[in-house]
Amino acid sequence: MMFLWWKDGDLAQEAAEYCMTVHLFGATSSPSYASFALRKTAEDNRGHFNEEVIDTMKRNFYVDNCLKSVKDRAEAVTEVEDIRDLLSRGGFRLTKWLSNDRDVLGSIPEEDRAASVSSLDIDELPTGRTLGILSDVETDCFGFKVHLREKPATRRGILSIASSLYDPLGFIAPFVLPAKILLQKL
């Protein structure tokens, strides 16, 4: 990205031309850059890892979240090690790991685990956040926390409440749909 800069904001001076050398975190384009970088890292290292790991890198990441289910504990431990190794070759360090299996979590360095499971001396595994949805790791179930604020019974108030619930997979659609139908009728 190129941009022009006028010293001291003086437009009468000649503009200096600058070029960004890093991508800004939080920019609109950031998710696209992150996905590209992960895919490029997977492709560049294809010959060093099995196809399952490469496929995970391409299909199981959403921006910087990896969501994957595997058949057994040993497969999970191996895949975590391979993904961490592959990512390190691209200059990445994936952190905040969470699993519903204590042995898998035990194979991950404590500093790379989610803060809620840094210590495995806990009775219940915590609830984590996955793509904006609560995920109960112990029961392997999704959940939602709803904080309804008092809003006026107007179109704007109803729209505000209905729009405040983030549900990309449509789990709570049966509860939100009546409000949206009411909005259409209004």
Side-chain angles (χ1 to χ4, degrees), residues 119-132:
S119 168
L120 295 178
D121 297 331
I122 50 178
D123 293 331
E124 284 184 18
L125 290 172
T127 300
R129 220 169 173 72
T130 307
L131 304 180

Side-chain angles (χ1 to χ4, degrees), residues 29-170:
S29 56
S30 293
S32 177
Y33 290 142
S35 293
F36 174 81
L38 289 172
R39 288 172 172 269
K40 179 76 170 133
T41 300
E43 279 303 317
D44 289 350
N45 293 283
R46 182 179 283 283
H48 304 284
F49 295 90
N50 67 45
E51 279 304 309
E52 183 68 26
V53 173
I54 301 299
D55 189 57
T56 297
M57 294 291 294
K58 290 183 162 190
R59 299 177 48 117
N60 294 92
F61 272 84
Y62 178 78
V63 187
D64 60 351
N65 291 298
C66 179
L67 304 172
K68 177 88 185 246
S69 293
V70 294
K71 294 177 185 165
D72 61 45
R73 194 175 280 147
E75 183 181 347
V77 169
T78 300
E79 187 139 356
V80 166
E81 288 172 4
D82 288 346
I83 289 171
R84 293 181 71 236
D85 185 22
L86 174 56
L87 287 170
S88 71
R89 290 178 184 218
F92 301 101
R93 182 173 154 240
L94 196 59
T95 60
K96 300 180 185 174
W97 286 89
L98 194 55
S99 173
N100 62 349
D101 188 290
R102 283 180 174 78
D103 291 338
V104 174
L105 283 172
S107 73
I108 300 167
E110 191 172 327
E111 65 272 7
D112 288 345
R113 293 183 210 146
S116 54
V117 289
S118 59
S119 168
L120 295 178
D121 297 331
I122 50 178
D123 293 331
E124 284 184 18
L125 290 172
T127 300
R129 220 169 173 72
T130 307
L131 304 180
I133 299 173
L134 294 177
S135 175
D136 186 328
V137 178
E138 194 78 39
T139 62
D140 205 17
C141 293
F142 291 120
F144 294 87
K145 260 189 191 167
V146 179
H147 301 286
L148 293 179
R149 291 186 171 80
E150 195 66 32
K151 298 282 183 180
T154 62
R155 284 191 315 198
R156 182 175 284 184
I158 296 168
L159 178 63
S160 174
I161 291 171
S163 300
S164 69
L165 303 171
Y166 182 69
D167 179 28
L169 301 175

